[in-house]
Amino acid sequence: MEYAYFEGNIVNIDEAKISIKTNSIHYGTLVFEGIRAYYNENHNQLYILFSDAHYKRLLTNARAMFMYLNKTPEELTSITKGLLKKSEIKTDTYIRPFIYFKDLALTPKLKDFTPEVAIYTYNFGRYLDTSKGIHAKVSSWRRNSDNSIPSRWKVAGAYVNSALAKTEALMSGYDEAILLNEHGTLSEGSGENIFIIRGKKLITPSFSEGILEGITRSAIIKLAKNELFLEIEERTVSRSELYAADEVFLTGTAAEITPVVAIDNRPIKDGEIGNITKKLQNLYFHAVRGDIERYKHWLTPVYD
Ligand code: PMP
């Protein structure tokens, strides 16, 4: 049976329905998260990855949108555990929590409305090809600027920008889009943060480049620093530096660690997945499944 958390209760998915008049549908004023849970057969356990960080980001973004929800990250994690348990999920899964204005009034505003939270699970599988690597295109669309719709917020309306870039990339024969920001320097993928490797340096656009403050991004920085002793640079990156990189990869909850083997038809180095990318993938995939003791604090076990 499939369930959802809807209007304060865990209900059958068929009962989780909203009106076509719902305000947030019309103006894209819905904030959301994407969380993964990984099943470990040997442990007979389902682990939610970075639950606290995702719910903290959701509530921070909601506050910026004047959505004051009377819930803590701990309470939302506990609701999520309840939902996964009730659904008896014993496989990898994706969790989509979101906060929206449930009011039926047609005004694009954020005041005097009532926020509601809903959560459902989704069978994503692999989002992009993490084993072969992908071909990416630098998009002709620019990332939303922070002074129009901040990328930091993970708000539904901002994803029109992602949809335009992703569609252009797919229709041009590529797997994913890489967006430049309003200043013409590197920001991120349509749903991922981006990293390049040059020598022993791991380089990624800083938070002021019009990016989402990615939770996977921050996990990868920790793994690169602590496990591979790489030097980290968070800074402005020019488009041409992409082509000069030894390795490129994308990170995200859905995309995990996706190697990029060519950009704008230029192979990255020899066009094969790089060694550092492989090492980071290996560490990440073991950590998220609960197989590395020192990263177990990333995980929330679902079954007692
Ligand atoms: N950038 C964008 C635009 C995204 O949608 C996502 C996916 N949430 C990311 C980056 C990666 O963020 P995270 O690692 O927190 O999933």
Side-chain angles (χ1 to χ4, degrees):
M1 282 285 252
E2 207 184 331
Y3 297 93
Y5 179 77
F6 180 66
E7 297 188 337
N9 298 299
I10 293 179
V11 300
N12 192 301
I13 193 72
D14 296 329
E15 291 166 38
K17 297 257 159 56
I18 58 169
S19 165
I20 58 168
K21 295 183 175 179
T22 304
N23 178 275
S24 278
I25 293 183
H26 295 274
Y27 304 113
T29 54
L30 169 160
V31 297
F32 66 99
E33 276 301 320
I35 309 175
R36 272 194 195 262
Y38 290 87
Y39 188 66
N40 185 317
E41 267 180 29
N42 296 330
H43 300 186
N44 202 9
Q45 185 60 271
L46 181 66
Y47 294 110
I48 312 174
L49 179 62
F50 297 124
S51 191
D52 192 57
H54 281 286
Y55 282 122
K56 276 188 180 136
R57 186 170 69 184
L58 181 72
L59 293 173
T60 303
N61 293 341
R63 275 199 309 277
M65 296 282 290
F66 297 97
M67 293 168 151
Y68 300 108
L69 204 74
N70 208 5
K71 294 238 178 324
T72 62
E74 293 76 28
E75 284 168 326
L76 291 168
T77 291
S78 156
I79 290 167
T80 307
K81 274 175 72 169
L83 174 64
L84 294 169
K85 262 193 217 162
K86 174 95 178 165
S87 311
E88 294 178 12
I89 293 178
K90 295 208 160 177
T91 174
D92 292 359
T93 193
Y94 183 83
I95 303 150
R96 168 53 56 88
F98 59 104
I99 303 176
Y100 60 101
F101 288 125
K102 64 199 254 181
D103 307 75
L104 308 183
L106 278 182
T107 308
K109 67 177 174 88
L110 305 168
K111 221 177 125 8
D112 306 324
F113 283 153
T114 315
E116 184 66 64
V117 59
I119 310 173
Y120 67 95
T121 60
Y122 184 75
N123 190 1
F124 230 140
R126 293 276 92 80
Y127 181 67
L128 291 166
D129 194 329
T130 51
S131 59
K132 283 212 306 277
I134 60 159
H135 289 225
K137 176 188 192 329
V138 174
S139 185
S140 71
W141 296 95
R142 290 288 165 99
R143 194 81 186 116
N144 320 308
S145 92
D146 198 65
N147 288 307
S148 57
I149 305 177
S151 300
R152 179 176 272 110
W153 288 356
K154 215 162 166 53
V155 56
Y159 281 78
V160 172
N161 181 242
S162 291
L164 288 167
K166 177 91 182 178
T167 305
E168 179 189 67
L170 292 176
M171 291 181 80
S172 314
Y174 300 84
D175 305 300
E176 185 52 287
I178 295 170
L179 290 113
L180 306 179
N181 59 31
E182 59 181 323
H183 307 296
T185 54
L186 190 59
S187 67
E188 58 181 348
S190 72
E192 310 86 15
N193 292 112
I194 186 164
F195 285 88
I196 68 174
I197 291 165
R198 301 191 71 183
K200 287 244 163 218
K201 277 188 194 155
L202 184 71
I203 303 160
T204 194
S206 63
F207 286 159
S208 46
E209 298 294 325
I211 66 167
L212 182 75
E213 294 183 359
I215 292 166
T216 322
R217 176 187 182 279
S218 119
I220 289 307
I221 289 175
K222 285 197 189 101
L223 289 178
K225 218 189 267 180
N226 299 341
E227 307 289 332
L228 305 183
F229 311 108
L230 300 180
E231 200 182 312
I232 318 288
E233 285 183 6
E234 294 177 65
R235 60 163 168 86
T236 301
V237 181
S238 306
R239 175 181 187 163
S240 61
E241 199 170 356
L242 284 173
Y243 310 142
D246 298 325
E247 302 182 28
V248 178
F249 61 87
L250 303 173
T251 65
T253 301
E256 301 167 308
I257 301 174
T258 300
V260 179
V261 292
I263 300 175
D264 296 337
N265 304 310
R266 293 160 178 84
I268 300 302
K269 207 148 185 204
D270 54 8
E272 303 286 334
I273 300 175
N275 277 334
I276 295 176
T277 307
K278 274 191 203 151
K279 281 185 193 157
L280 286 169
Q281 276 188 317
N282 191 37
L283 282 162
Y284 184 78
F285 284 124
H286 280 96
V288 299
R289 223 171 273 285
D291 285 331
I292 306 181
E293 202 51 45
R294 63 189 173 283
Y295 292 110
K296 272 245 175 130
H297 63 279
W298 289 2
L299 310 173
T300 305
V302 169
Y303 298 105
D304 305 316

